[in-house]
Structures are given as structure tokens and as C-alpha cells.
Amino acid sequence: MTDGSVEDGIRAALVRVIDPEIRKPITELDMVGEVSVDAAGSATVGIKLTIVGCPAADTIERDVRAAVASAPGVTSTTVDISIMTREERAALTEKLRGGRAKTIQFGPDSLTRIYTVSSGKGGVGKSTLTANLAVALAAKGLAVGVIDADVFGFSIPGILGIAGMKPTQIDGMILPPVAHGVKVISIGMFVDGNAAVSWRGPMLHRTIQQFLTDVYFGDIDILLVDLPPGTGDVAITIGQLLPHAEVLVVTTPQPAAADVAERSGTVARQTGQKVIGVIENMAGLAQADGTVIELFGTGGGELVAARLSEGQDAPVPVLASIPLSVALRAGGDSGQPIVLSTPDDAAAASIIRVADDLARRGRGLAGRKLGFSVR
């Protein structure tokens, strides 16, 4: 086998090495430099990382060594690590943006299906449901992103087990960390520890706009946006920037919570968004004898769905009634989503069924992959 054919084999093997942050082959990202092989089969491969201190450096080097070692004719491997020049980084960000100027990634022509998850009040489990839905969708093979738009009460990083993780930034482009196959961005990744965020409306608007403009999500199938509770500045901003988004309203069975949840759906509709379903959380606590204790009452989900149906052509369904679950709470505390850790739990099964419903919907990249027509 000639040195040239061995080098070709190495380059072919390197196609399998995926940058864990950008989620593309390093060969497509121009991260592979010179490749050489001597007569004894000793290979030397140059790899150009995006920035100094790249958090994915060890993973990339490990995967490169494994890929090169698998190429026919290679007897040993040396990996030379270097850093991209400023011009190379600029070329990379230009390539990732597709040559487009910095703008909102998910405009009206985007094939990504966008779901905002809203609630009228806090404490109904909205963020936990958002995180688990995202992970369940990713487990089905879909490309999924999450924006934690609950700036004051951010909790998505902790629920997904990436609290304290910082995103990589390349020339103004932000690469979101990946958790359980989901790309995630949150203001919690930019503050120290458990510092409080106390911002007025303009700062909130600018933050959400930056998440939609500067964060590189790539060609994802579904974007979930975890909204803060209520009908304040962030909900209005999302309505302005993503008027084509569809809304999932989360409530508890308690009628008092249902009254407030209805308002969040009403505000979303005022900005042009469509409410596609209600999720009732904390629906009951199953006992060993088969009985269920309705700690938060009953009927809230149906009540919200009925009221929100009045303003739409099609009725708003209750997508799920999710029971109280110790495993669901524990998974949120430990950063292990229940849909992966305990999928046979009743709460997990309900969430997975909602993910099934969303995955089957026929618009955008998800619909195209699953054989539906794009409308």
C-alpha cells in the first residue's frame, strides 16, 4: 500500500470524527491540516482547534487517534494540535452561517419547528417538562435545541446536568453546550454561580435576540423555548421575534392555576402564535393499592383547553395528564432526565407520548425526515 493511499484512507476515516460542539465532521470544518505517513506506516495528522482552551480538545484528539489507527496501513499515530488563525476562524463562522449576515436563525422561512412552553405561574414543572421533552425528541433521532428564556429563574442547565458549563465563543458566534443530544443555551451559562439576574425589559429583549442570532444551532428539527411564567417582557419579545412559533401551555389540575395559565396562551395568540396543546402536570399521586390522591385537584387541563379552544378554528387538546412522580423530581435534581433514566415511570411514559405526538407533526425538517409534506 502506497503512502498516498494510506493518507487517503486516513482522511476518509477522519470524516467520522465529529466536533462535539458544532456537531459536524472536522473535515467539513477545515480542522484537518497536513496528513503524512512514512514508509513504516507512522502517521502524523495536524488538527486545528477553533480556540485556545477549546473544551472539546481532549475528545477531538481521542477520536482522531482512534480514527487514524483504524485506517489500513497505519502502524502508529502522532497528532499535532494547533489553533486556527483569525482568518481561519472567520472563514469557519462564515461557513457555518451559510454566508448570511447575522440575523435571527428561525425566521418565517425556517424549516425548524418551534415550540414555546409557557405557563401562567411558576412552580408547575414547565422547565422540567421542557427539558424532558427535548431529550425524548433527541432520543428519537431528531436534532433538537433548547433556549432557556426564563432569564430570572433559569433552571434548564441544572435539570439537564450541565450546570456550570460555559459555551465556546468563536468570533461572536456562540456554540451551545450539548446535553443528552440536545443543544442548550441559557443565561445561567454566562453568570457566576447562582448569581441573581435583575434586568429590565430592554436587556431581556437584547438577551433573547442574541440567543436567536449569535447562538449556532445549525439545521435543527425542533427548537423548544422555555418561557418564564406569566405574560411579561420575555413572552412579548418571543412573540415579536418568533410569531410563527407554536405554544404548549403547562398547568396543574388546580382551577386557580388553570385561570392563570389561560392568560399565557391568550397573550401568545395576540402576537400571532398558535396554541397547539395543554399539558396538565402534577395530575395525581398513585398509591400502592391502586388509588390516586389528587393533591392539586382535577380538571385544570380540560378547563384551560376548553377556554383556549374558543379563539381558534381547531380545538386545543390536552396532550397529556402527567402524574406526580418522585423519579421525575429526583431526575431534575440530579441532572438525569427521567425519560432516559426511568422511561417506564408513568410520568416519563406520558412525556414520551407527547414527544411522539410532536415528532409526528408534519411540518419542517422533522416532517420531511418522517415522510410528511412540508406546508
Side-chain angles (χ1 to χ4, degrees):
M1 184 176 292
T2 65
D3 291 349
S5 61
V6 176
E7 290 177 12
D8 291 342
I10 290 172
R11 291 189 179 276
L14 289 173
V15 173
R16 302 194 301 269
V17 179
I18 306 298
D19 183 290
E21 294 179 301
I22 305 176
R23 306 304 283 254
K24 287 181 177 291
I26 61 173
T27 51
E28 289 186 18
L29 303 175
D30 300 323
M31 295 174 67
V32 179
E34 184 178 353
V35 176
S36 62
V37 184
D38 65 18
S42 296
T44 301
V45 177
I47 297 297
K48 294 179 284 186
L49 300 178
T50 52
I51 59 171
V52 175
C54 173
D58 291 342
T59 300
I60 292 173
E61 182 175 355
R62 180 199 65 207
D63 292 349
V64 166
R65 288 186 180 279
V68 174
S70 71
V74 173
T75 58
S76 64
T77 304
T78 299
V79 179
D80 286 339
I81 300 294
S82 62
I83 304 300
M84 286 184 173
T85 64
R86 180 180 301 176
E87 292 74 21
E88 288 171 332
R89 282 195 297 272
L92 173 60
T93 56
E94 180 79 5
K95 175 183 286 189
L96 293 176
R97 290 193 177 108
R100 298 184 299 272
K102 288 175 63 172
T103 185
I104 299 246
Q105 297 171 74
F106 306 106
D109 296 331
S110 171
L111 294 177
T112 299
R113 195 142 200 170
I114 303 167
Y115 298 105
T116 64
V117 186
S118 70
S119 69
K121 58 186 295 184
V124 301
K126 170 183 53 62
S127 297
T128 298
L129 292 178
T130 301
N132 277 274
L133 274 176
V135 172
L137 287 163
K140 298 178 186 300
L142 298 178
V144 183
V146 170
I147 292 178
D148 184 358
D150 193 350
V151 175
F152 298 140
F154 56 85
S155 58
I156 292 287
I159 295 170
L160 289 176
I162 53 172
M165 187 172 291
K166 303 294 184 182
T168 299
Q169 300 189 49
I170 306 174
D171 288 358
M173 175 177 283
I174 301 170
L175 304 182
V178 178
H180 308 290
V182 178
K183 293 183 176 181
V184 186
I185 197 68
S186 169
I187 196 64
M189 298 171 180
F190 299 90
V191 298
D192 294 328
N194 202 31
V197 178
S198 301
W199 291 342
R200 294 185 183 273
M203 281 293 291
L204 296 172
H205 180 89
R206 190 179 311 162
T207 298
I208 300 303
Q209 189 170 42
Q210 185 176 22
F211 283 173
L212 292 169
T213 303
D214 294 348
V215 178
Y216 176 75
F217 285 100
D219 293 329
I220 58 174
D221 299 319
I222 291 177
L223 176 70
L224 292 171
V225 182
D226 182 37
L227 294 179
T231 57
D233 291 315
V234 172
I236 295 170
T237 287
I238 291 293
Q240 292 171 339
L241 299 178
L242 300 173
H244 52 295
E246 298 169 292
V247 183
L248 300 169
V249 176
V250 179
T251 187
T252 63
Q254 186 178 5
D259 289 341
V260 182
E262 179 190 356
R263 297 172 201 158
S264 67
T266 301
V267 166
R269 280 210 305 246
Q270 289 172 351
T271 63
Q273 297 173 333
K274 179 181 179 182
V275 179
I276 64 162
V278 172
I279 299 175
E280 184 183 72
N281 195 27
M282 307 179 188
L285 182 63
Q287 302 299 292
D289 62 1
T291 60
V292 176
I293 300 177
E294 306 289 358
L295 293 176
F296 294 97
T298 61
E302 289 83 358
L303 182 60
V304 174
R307 290 177 176 175
L308 291 176
S309 295
E310 295 174 2
Q312 296 192 169
D313 296 334
V316 175
V318 177
L319 298 178
S321 186
I322 300 171
L324 282 163
S325 166
V326 173
L328 181 60
R329 189 274 306 162
D333 289 340
S334 65
Q336 295 296 319
I338 190 177
V339 294
L340 294 182
S341 63
T342 321
D344 56 347
D345 181 271
S350 294
I351 296 171
I352 291 170
R353 283 194 293 272
V354 176
D356 289 339
D357 289 341
L358 298 182
R360 282 195 295 267
R361 303 191 74 218
R363 179 177 175 240
L365 295 176
R368 179 171 295 177
K369 287 183 178 181
L370 295 170
F372 293 95
S373 60
V374 177
R375 298 191 298 274

